[in-house]
Amino acid sequence: MAERVEMPWWGWGDPEHSRELPAAALAEIERRFGKLADPESLPGIDHFEIPESRVPEPVAAALRSSTGADAVSDTPTSRVLRGGGKSYPDLVRMRAGRPAGLPDLVVAPANAEEVSKVLKVCSESGTAVVPFGGGTSVVGGLSPIGEGQGGVISLDMSRMSGMVSIDEESRIGVVLGGTSGPEAEAAFAAHGLTIGHFPQSFLHATVGGFVATRSAGQASTGYGRIDSNVLGLEMVTPTGPISLPPMPGTAAGPGLRSLLVGSEGTLGVITEVALQLSKAPAATLDRAWIVSGFEHGRELMRRMEQAGCAPAVARLSDEEETAVSLALSAKSRARRAFARYALSKGRGRPCLLITCFEGERDRISGAHADASAILRSGGAKSLGGMPARAWRHGRYDGPYLRDVLMGRGLLVDTLETAAPWSKLEGLYSSVSDSLRGSLGRFGGDPIVMCHVSHLYPGGASLYFTFVGIQPGNNPDERISNWWDVKSAASEAISREGGTITHHHAVGTDHRPWMEAEVGERSLAALAALKRELDPNGVMNPRKLLPDSG
Amino acid sequence: MAERVEMPWWGWGDPEHSRELPAAALAEIERRFGKLADPESLPGIDHFEIPESRVPEPVAAALRSSTGADAVSDTPTSRVLRGGGKSYPDLVRMRAGRPAGLPDLVVAPANAEEVSKVLKVCSESGTAVVPFGGGTSVVGGLSPIGEGQGGVISLDMSRMSGMVSIDEESRIGVVLGGTSGPEAEAAFAAHGLTIGHFPQSFLHATVGGFVATRSAGQASTGYGRIDSNVLGLEMVTPTGPISLPPMPGTAAGPGLRSLLVGSEGTLGVITEVALQLSKAPAATLDRAWIVSGFEHGRELMRRMEQAGCAPAVARLSDEEETAVSLALSAKSRARRAFARYALSKGRGRPCLLITCFEGERDRISGAHADASAILRSGGAKSLGGMPARAWRHGRYDGPYLRDVLMGRGLLVDTLETAAPWSKLEGLYSSVSDSLRGSLGRFGGDPIVMCHVSHLYPGGASLYFTFVGIQPGNNPDERISNWWDVKSAASEAISREGGTITHHHAVGTDHRPWMEAEVGERSLAALAALKRELDPNGVMNPRKLLPDSG
């Protein structure tokens, strides 16, 4: 099984991963924002103010006897490492040595029975519980909030990892909730199968986390979102377990599986997931294309998707993302190809489209031929496989760049939404304008770029990356500046009929827009559900629901 | 818009539809069960005992002022016509002139605002509400139960019909909840689009009913179940409306859309549905095949489905259904082809498989070629298109035969389930054995036959049809005999890990098996949800949840 890498408290991913800014990127960024600050220095954990644990000793003792004493930790390092996720505010605070809060204890149960005991202790004592899988939340979903409670524990899922069973005939695999993406894929690969779920967080996040946050992988156009692949699951709630067996299709009442998917730890802990698997692809066929603009490119994507020949991965960068990618790229060959294409079309700003087909060789070559015909008839020009393979190679690396730019004094983040095809143009314009306007007030020439990366017959996602000057001098100012940008963009999303989140989940950051999206009665229904399953409100307080604390 | 046909109180479908028993069928049935009774005579509605309306006059007045007096009826005919669905017990009681209950009033609001007013009046006065769409429930979902309440109304959706909007670019169509299948298809066909949802109830049922019962159409293998095509919906609950806009994909918390789908009128009234549509198929390619046994045929279906080349409609009859279909068929040519095949394989009991591909001509010929290769490599032999086209022609007619056989003194019904592929053999054997054993006690040579008709990567449905002698002489005895058969089969389904219903829904008949399927905590969660949205418990009491009354 793949060895798991613990992410550092100060940033994303593998601490050993390169965090160099390529010379071309630095040049482009300094052209836009002026000379960057030197890399910030980070305080060591010994410089953090670590508050006393608020969990009373009898509760701590009960937790130790639930799991064994070895599974409960209150060391500064363990508490800081479980002190939040990887949202911009999380990292701003951590990098300053001033986390918004820390769990009082980190508890790592070994099985569902231990989870059950831990939740019972916590519910009875009013101790908040933040389930912690891979720690990759970028929306504040892991903030250790326990106000009004008798402290807060991080319920660390790292010991609940591995495959429980596999049904090769039905292609259904069952894993424990704390199984990481690579661990699950390695286990299923031995049977020639795959989940096909590869979000940017794949290397670190857990299957339970995928399910709790209703995530979508980069290849969701081919393999489906995680919600469409959850056939069954087991959740331990403070009032008892829920076990929904794997079922291919059922009319037995409301969609309970779908109700637990996306519950973000607010109802219970996902201890086991039964997934619909697909045959591991025998072949891949990656291709990059130039198209004559973002709107036109979206139209071509829509045609492919609705004709049933869309690739597993389809990513279309807007004009800005295309230009920035080229400027940041060391590959002058790609730059020249774009320049030639732009000249030939008499247009200044072409867009990059990547298509990756995966599956049986015959089938993907047929789909690729159909898709290519649609693209060519729309004036798209093939760039060959190289840029697409380059994307595949770096597909999980985006967050490292955020770390670097944050450390050089920039405000940098991503946000995402989705909507029906007919609303994408308005949504794209409004959110882009909002981001550009908000960041522009801080000076420089902000980067606001977007791609479409998840296709559905009825619509698609939009994923924005933005970079601007961060004028704040301390965490509070920095977070306040970020929030101005983020909340204005969220307002624009809400106004234009997009969903407040296509795959990052709600966490703390998107809560204010939930009511506009689903309405007061929906939220009241979810709150009633929470009261039933978690009557003392200990499960991941102040996440997801506006008043779930 | 297609004219709507009101189903008769005594049976299924169009009252003018032929209910003759073909000579070949009569011969086969009398061979098995002995000489049939003469067709039963039916009492006229004037022979029904019609109880006084229990709705107090002030409440009736408030209802009239909610909708206009014309929209409220208490005539015996309107009450009898809304007195239940078309389950076996429903029909046994109706045909004897002894319905289990009648709605006290039939109220037909014209729009969501009127529904809202009606529900407010009913909730405040403790009047039960049974939403009534097409009236096609076969699981007791429409029983006008209002014990402990101040009467019960039938909320007739027939005035809330029609298309609200269409988004051709996104292929999203919005219809009112009371729009019938043919009305919706006619509206969408004008835009070259289709829902692709054709359950056996299609000609009569409503889109709101499809959604409320989480139904699956005969072509669900191609177009998906209704739940996978609901992108948004509006529901009026006694505590207010829920409006979920159409969204192709979202991570904004638990699956609210999926939660309202399958709620069977127990939470509120579905007033509007936004559906993902598909392009109306340019071509169809229907084919029948002979395969050498049910288990082997299922294996071939699994291979087609998992290879991604399954047809829109795939139906495999077991040995018994194949033999009975042939015996009942007037076509001696098909009988001869089967006999030849059986001889050539040295096996006595081949099975009939029907495949119907639908879509763009190129695409379906490709998929058909792939599927045919799988079938031929498994020893299947093509019978040409005729038997498949014959199935297509009679695809909605099954329930008429039930009417006829009931009227000749037989116990006849259908039931259905689904499970992962790996569990189908055990499920099939246990349910078949249970039905054969239960019916066998009543004498004769019972017909117990099954088909697979909905494929998923992870599993498939099983649909059983059974016919035996009905020894009961009055409705109570007949229903008691039926329940012995039904409940034993349901126990077998539950024991073998099948879902208690794949597409008929829960209604009253499947409630006892819900807890075994989803567990106590799931039901408590659904009950909490109901208390929040319907605090006075007026919405469709005693359906779906074991204690929802």
Side-chain angles (χ1 to χ4, degrees):
Chain A
M1 196 160 275
E3 200 178 331
R4 208 180 291 194
V5 173
E6 176 82 58
M7 293 202 288
W9 54 267
W10 45 264
W12 184 264
D14 181 347
E16 305 301 319
H17 191 281
S18 160
R19 282 171 170 81
E20 291 295 308
L21 202 54
L26 183 65
E28 169 66 12
I29 285 168
E30 294 201 327
R31 187 184 70 72
R32 286 170 174 263
F33 302 113
K35 188 156 171 45
L36 295 189
D38 287 339
E40 281 178 353
S41 62
L42 297 171
I45 286 184
D46 51 332
H47 286 81
F48 279 58
E49 268 186 42
I50 308 284
E52 283 287 300
S53 170
R54 290 164 298 174
V55 173
E57 177 48 29
V59 175
L63 290 170
R64 285 193 299 268
S65 81
S66 300
T67 58
D70 285 359
V72 180
S73 170
D74 63 357
T75 66
T77 299
S78 65
R79 293 173 66 192
V80 169
L81 283 172
R82 296 293 172 268
K86 302 300 179 191
S87 72
Y88 181 84
D90 286 338
L91 292 181
V92 163
R93 289 196 184 98
M94 279 290 178
R95 295 170 64 94
R98 287 170 50 191
L102 291 179
D104 296 296
L105 293 173
V106 178
V107 182
N111 52 50
E113 200 185 333
E114 289 186 7
V115 172
S116 191
K117 288 181 191 167
V118 167
L119 296 195
K120 190 159 183 291
V121 169
C122 289
S123 185
E124 286 172 359
S125 60
T127 308
V129 180
V130 181
F132 192 100
T136 60
S137 171
V138 290
V139 293
L142 299 170
S143 295
I145 301 170
E147 306 128 58
Q149 307 276 355
V152 50
I153 69 160
S154 174
L155 193 145
D156 183 319
M157 292 293 288
S158 59
R159 292 171 68 205
M160 293 181 62
S161 166
M163 190 170 83
V164 176
S165 64
I166 184 118
D167 172 352
E168 290 196 26
E169 184 181 353
S170 314
R171 296 184 178 170
I172 297 174
V174 180
V175 292
L176 295 174
T179 310
S180 77
E183 287 164 356
E185 284 298 325
F188 296 144
H191 301 269
L193 298 169
T194 178
I195 314 172
H197 189 76
F198 304 102
Q200 206 170 43
S201 62
F202 168 74
L203 296 175
H204 304 277
T206 60
V207 173
F210 296 155
V211 174
T213 58
R214 192 175 276 276
S215 80
Q218 291 167 343
S220 81
T221 304
Y223 297 93
R225 301 172 59 88
I226 200 71
D227 28 318
S228 65
N229 290 315
V230 173
L231 297 192
L233 75 169
E234 307 217 340
M235 176 184 274
V236 174
T237 80
T239 55
I242 295 180
S243 176
L244 299 168
M247 208 60 91
T250 174
L256 289 162
R257 289 161 185 80
S258 188
L259 183 65
L260 303 185
V261 175
S263 56
E264 301 191 15
T266 65
L267 302 177
V269 177
I270 295 167
T271 52
E272 221 173 279
V273 182
L275 293 159
Q276 181 66 63
L277 306 176
S278 299
K279 193 169 177 186
T284 58
L285 206 169
D286 297 346
R287 184 69 60 93
W289 301 83
I290 312 182
V291 300
S292 68
F294 193 47
E295 186 169 6
H296 181 59
R298 287 199 311 273
E299 171 61 16
L300 297 178
M301 288 179 120
R302 181 178 77 89
R303 283 187 215 161
M304 285 193 293
E305 171 68 20
Q306 292 184 346
C309 61
V313 177
R315 296 173 73 89
L316 171 70
S317 294
D318 71 353
E319 294 83 352
E320 178 84 340
E321 187 170 283
T322 301
V324 169
S325 302
L326 285 175
L328 268 55
S329 162
K331 301 274 190 297
S332 56
R333 190 164 154 267
R335 270 204 297 274
R336 281 199 305 273
F338 267 77
R340 274 198 308 276
Y341 179 84
L343 280 174
S344 77
K345 294 284 168 190
R347 298 187 193 183
R349 310 198 72 201
C351 291
L352 176 67
L353 169 65
I354 285 170
T355 58
C356 304
F357 290 83
E358 303 191 352
E360 298 301 296
R361 204 168 298 275
D362 285 358
R363 189 161 296 273
I364 65 174
S365 57
H368 181 258
D370 291 350
S372 298
I374 289 173
L375 293 172
R376 288 213 170 84
S377 77
K381 187 173 152 32
S382 170
L383 283 176
M386 184 90 81
R389 286 192 293 272
W391 169 80
R392 204 184 263 276
H393 178 73
R395 67 194 292 184
Y396 305 125
D397 289 349
Y400 291 108
L401 193 57
R402 186 177 59 151
D403 280 3
V404 179
L405 297 178
M406 280 184 75
R408 305 294 297 267
L410 293 174
L411 195 169
V412 50
D413 205 0
T414 64
L415 56 82
E416 34 76 70
T417 178
W421 293 105
S422 60
K423 292 188 172 183
L424 289 179
E425 182 58 26
L427 183 59
Y428 171 66
S429 307
S430 292
V431 177
S432 301
D433 289 351
S434 167
L435 289 169
R436 232 168 245 122
S438 303
L439 290 166
R441 286 199 297 277
F442 303 141
D445 178 13
I447 298 174
V448 174
M449 55 195 201
C450 181
H451 60 253
V452 172
S453 46
H454 303 264
L455 312 187
Y456 305 88
S461 66
L462 295 177
Y463 189 98
F464 293 87
T465 302
F466 52 95
V467 186
I469 288 174
Q470 171 54 276
N473 290 314
N474 58 52
D476 289 345
E477 281 177 26
R478 288 177 177 186
I479 291 169
S480 165
N481 290 334
W482 166 83
W483 184 247
D484 288 348
V485 175
K486 169 82 177 172
S487 60
S490 297
E491 283 300 327
I493 287 173
S494 185
R495 197 169 57 236
E496 296 289 340
T499 177
I500 193 60
T501 174
H502 169 265
H503 61 269
H504 281 173
V506 180
T508 51
D509 298 350
H510 294 142
R511 290 164 78 211
W513 291 276
M514 279 295 278
E515 183 164 341
E517 182 157 342
V518 303
E520 183 273 326
R521 287 284 80 207
S522 294
L523 294 183
L526 293 179
L529 196 74
K530 181 170 169 69
R531 282 194 303 275
E532 175 63 35
L533 297 176
D534 173 26
N536 297 327
V538 298
M539 294 308 304
N540 212 7
R542 298 188 193 282
K543 314 291 159 29
L544 180 57
L545 297 175
D547 55 355
S548 74
Chain B
M1 198 160 280
E3 199 177 331
R4 209 177 296 190
V5 174
E6 177 83 57
M7 293 203 287
W9 54 266
W10 45 264
W12 183 265
D14 182 347
E16 305 301 319
H17 191 280
S18 160
R19 282 171 171 79
E20 290 296 310
L21 201 54
L26 183 63
E28 167 68 11
I29 284 168
E30 295 201 327
R31 187 184 69 73
R32 286 171 173 262
F33 302 112
K35 186 155 171 51
L36 294 189
D38 287 339
E40 282 178 352
S41 62
L42 296 171
I45 286 184
D46 51 333
H47 285 81
F48 279 59
E49 269 187 41
I50 307 283
E52 283 287 300
S53 171
R54 290 162 299 173
V55 173
E57 177 48 29
V59 174
L63 290 170
R64 286 193 297 270
S65 82
S66 300
T67 57
D70 285 358
V72 179
S73 170
D74 63 358
T75 67
T77 298
S78 65
R79 292 173 67 191
V80 169
L81 283 171
R82 296 292 172 267
K86 302 298 179 193
S87 72
Y88 181 85
D90 286 340
L91 292 180
V92 163
R93 290 196 183 97
M94 279 290 178
R95 295 170 64 94
R98 288 170 50 193
L102 291 179
D104 296 296
L105 293 173
V106 177
V107 182
N111 52 49
E113 200 185 334
E114 289 186 8
V115 172
S116 191
K117 287 182 192 165
V118 168
L119 296 195
K120 191 161 183 291
V121 169
C122 289
S123 185
E124 286 172 359
S125 61
T127 307
V129 180
V130 181
F132 192 101
T136 60
S137 172
V138 290
V139 293
L142 299 169
S143 296
I145 301 170
E147 308 128 58
Q149 307 275 355
V152 50
I153 68 160
S154 174
L155 192 145
D156 183 319
M157 292 294 288
S158 60
R159 292 171 69 206
M160 293 180 62
S161 167
M163 190 170 81
V164 176
S165 64
I166 184 119
D167 172 353
E168 291 197 27
E169 184 181 354
S170 315
R171 296 185 179 169
I172 297 174
V174 180
V175 292
L176 295 174
T179 310
S180 76
E183 288 164 355
E185 284 298 325
F188 296 143
H191 301 268
L193 297 169
T194 178
I195 314 173
H197 189 77
F198 305 103
Q200 205 169 44
S201 61
F202 169 74
L203 296 174
H204 304 278
T206 60
V207 173
F210 296 155
V211 174
T213 58
R214 191 175 277 274
S215 80
Q218 292 167 342
S220 81
T221 304
Y223 298 95
R225 301 173 60 89
I226 201 71
D227 29 318
S228 65
N229 290 316
V230 173
L231 298 191
L233 75 169
E234 307 218 338
M235 176 184 274
V236 175
T237 81
T239 54
I242 295 180
S243 176
L244 299 169
M247 208 60 89
T250 173
L256 289 161
R257 289 161 185 80
S258 187
L259 184 65
L260 302 184
V261 176
S263 57
E264 301 191 17
T266 64
L267 302 176
V269 177
I270 295 167
T271 53
E272 221 173 278
V273 181
L275 293 159
Q276 181 65 63
L277 306 175
S278 299
K279 193 169 177 187
T284 57
L285 206 168
D286 298 347
R287 183 70 59 94
W289 302 82
I290 312 182
V291 299
S292 67
F294 194 46
E295 186 169 5
H296 180 59
R298 288 201 311 274
E299 172 61 17
L300 296 178
M301 289 178 119
R302 181 177 76 89
R303 284 187 214 161
M304 285 193 294
E305 171 67 20
Q306 293 184 345
C309 61
V313 177
R315 296 174 73 88
L316 171 71
S317 294
D318 71 355
E319 293 84 353
E320 177 86 340
E321 188 171 284
T322 301
V324 170
S325 302
L326 285 175
L328 267 56
S329 163
K331 301 274 189 298
S332 57
R333 188 164 155 266
R335 268 204 297 275
R336 281 199 304 275
F338 267 77
R340 272 198 309 275
Y341 178 83
L343 280 176
S344 75
K345 295 283 168 192
R347 298 186 193 184
R349 309 198 72 200
C351 291
L352 176 66
L353 168 66
I354 285 170
T355 59
C356 304
F357 289 83
E358 303 191 351
E360 298 302 296
R361 204 167 298 273
D362 286 356
R363 189 162 296 274
I364 65 174
S365 56
H368 181 259
D370 292 347
S372 298
I374 289 172
L375 293 172
R376 288 213 170 85
S377 76
K381 188 174 151 35
S382 171
L383 282 176
M386 185 89 81
R389 286 192 293 273
W391 169 80
R392 204 183 262 276
H393 179 73
R395 66 193 293 183
Y396 305 125
D397 288 350
Y400 290 109
L401 193 57
R402 185 177 59 149
D403 281 4
V404 180
L405 297 179
M406 280 184 75
R408 304 295 296 269
L410 294 174
L411 196 171
V412 50
D413 204 0
T414 64
L415 56 82
E416 33 77 70
T417 178
W421 292 106
S422 59
K423 293 188 172 183
L424 289 179
E425 181 58 25
L427 183 59
Y428 171 65
S429 306
S430 291
V431 178
S432 300
D433 289 351
S434 167
L435 289 169
R436 231 169 246 121
S438 303
L439 290 166
R441 286 198 298 275
F442 302 142
D445 177 14
I447 298 174
V448 174
M449 54 195 200
C450 181
H451 59 251
V452 172
S453 46
H454 303 263
L455 313 187
Y456 305 88
S461 66
L462 295 178
Y463 189 98
F464 293 87
T465 302
F466 52 94
V467 186
I469 288 175
Q470 171 54 276
N473 291 314
N474 59 52
D476 288 346
E477 281 177 24
R478 288 178 176 186
I479 290 168
S480 164
N481 290 334
W482 166 84
W483 183 247
D484 287 348
V485 175
K486 169 81 176 172
S487 60
S490 297
E491 284 299 327
I493 287 173
S494 185
R495 197 170 54 239
E496 296 289 340
T499 177
I500 193 61
T501 173
H502 170 265
H503 60 269
H504 281 173
V506 179
T508 52
D509 298 349
H510 293 142
R511 291 165 79 212
W513 292 276
M514 280 294 279
E515 184 165 341
E517 182 159 344
V518 303
E520 183 274 326
R521 287 285 80 207
S522 294
L523 295 182
L526 293 178
L529 197 75
K530 180 169 169 71
R531 283 195 301 276
E532 174 63 35
L533 297 176
D534 174 27
N536 297 329
V538 298
M539 294 307 304
N540 212 8
R542 299 190 191 280
K543 314 292 159 31
L544 179 58
L545 297 176
D547 55 356
S548 74

